[in-house]
Each structure stands twice: as C-alpha cells, then as structure tokens.
Amino acid sequence: MGIKIRRWVTLHGVSLNVNPDMRYFQNIVPCGITADTGRLVGSISQFNPTVTMKEVANELIRSFADEFEVEWDSVDMALCADSKGNLDLDAVDRHIRRLI
C-alpha cells in the first residue's frame, strides 16, 4: 500500500504482486523495501503457485466491498470484464470510483 500527501490531499494506492517476473524488482526499490531492511518483495504465487489474477482480483473486490460496505455482485463483475471474460482492472477501478 502506498500513501502520498500533496497539497493537503492524500493519494492512496495498493499493489499486489500476483505472479510477476521478480527479476525486475532487482532494479527498483519499491516503497523503500530493500534486503538490508530485513524485508523483501514477494509475490502471492510464491505462497500459492496455482493462484490466478482473476481469483486474486475477485477476493480483493469482495474484501473491499465488505470492508467499505459497498454492494458488489456478479452484474458488477460482468461490467468489468473484457470481451474474453477476463477481468479488466482499469474497469474495476472506474466502477469502484462510481460506487463510493
């Protein structure tokens, strides 16, 4: 999770590494996380190798909806799918912004 404050406005973001190529993290320092801090960047697939992006997105959306008491159902999921039925995370973001 990232938080930034600019001109008295807070900006929030969250990033979940589902199954990335971890070699790219050798060239950046995300959120100040380095090996010498005793913390490492990891991915969900390191703990559950069969997990899919769709499963993670569905669980994230369900948890978000529960936590913030937002109604979210299969119709919402259909609105956020592309022509192949894959979850379009940009569409999810736009849809959530309309709900809250």
Side-chain angles (χ1 to χ4, degrees):
M1 173 173 254
I3 299 174
K4 177 180 179 180
I5 301 173
R6 182 175 175 202
R7 297 183 187 167
W8 300 99
V9 175
T10 59
L11 307 169
H12 306 69
V14 65
S15 174
L16 292 175
N17 298 324
V18 177
N19 192 16
D21 183 342
M22 296 305 291
R23 292 177 295 172
Y24 295 112
F25 288 93
Q26 296 171 359
N27 301 319
I28 62 172
V29 181
C31 302
I33 298 172
T34 60
D36 60 329
T37 63
R39 294 172 283 181
L40 299 173
V41 174
S43 70
I44 294 171
S45 66
Q46 289 173 300
F47 302 98
N48 182 350
T50 62
V51 72
T52 66
M53 178 65 103
K54 186 173 183 177
E55 291 170 327
V56 172
N58 286 337
E59 183 59 28
L60 178 63
I61 291 166
R62 188 197 62 72
S63 296
F64 180 93
D66 288 349
E67 183 66 29
F68 293 100
E69 298 177 358
V70 175
E71 293 293 324
W72 189 274
D73 58 28
S74 59
V75 173
D76 295 311
M77 291 299 284
L79 291 172
C80 297
D82 64 17
S83 60
K84 296 179 182 177
N86 297 316
L87 200 57
D88 177 344
L89 297 181
D90 290 328
V92 170
D93 180 60
R94 287 189 302 273
H95 191 67
I96 288 173
R97 288 172 191 270
R98 283 192 296 265
L99 291 173
I100 57 175

